[in-house]
Amino acid sequence: LSEAGLVSRGKFMGIAGFASVDWAVGDIAALYLGAVVVPIPLNVPPSDMQHIMNESETCCLLCSQLELPVLAK
């Protein structure tokens, strides 16, 4: 993500998913790059998820394939 120019110091990166090792690794990687992590809860309506991402100006979203159907709504 850093090499592609998507995540850099000060940018907001969303992470959607349930607490897991993968979530923790993504969180630590984003913090290492200097990004601000925006947690996107999966138990809220899709319109609320969109609002969170829009208001925080999220540059990208890290999620697993399991979360894609929820996020695609």
Side-chain angles (χ1 to χ4, degrees):
L1 293 174
S2 177
E3 289 178 8
L6 294 175
V7 178
S8 61
R9 182 167 302 283
K11 286 195 173 183
F12 292 83
M13 180 179 129
I15 298 182
F18 297 102
S20 68
V21 172
D22 293 336
W23 194 96
V25 169
D27 186 41
I28 292 168
L31 295 174
Y32 177 78
L33 293 171
V36 179
V37 174
V38 179
I40 309 295
L42 296 175
N43 60 345
V44 298
S47 61
D48 289 352
M49 290 180 198
Q50 187 66 44
H51 177 75
I52 292 167
M53 291 187 282
N54 287 341
E55 289 297 313
S56 65
E57 297 181 2
T58 300
C59 65
C60 63
L61 180 65
L62 179 66
C63 68
S64 74
Q65 289 183 342
L66 295 175
E67 281 86 33
L68 285 177
V70 174
L71 296 168
K73 292 181 182 178

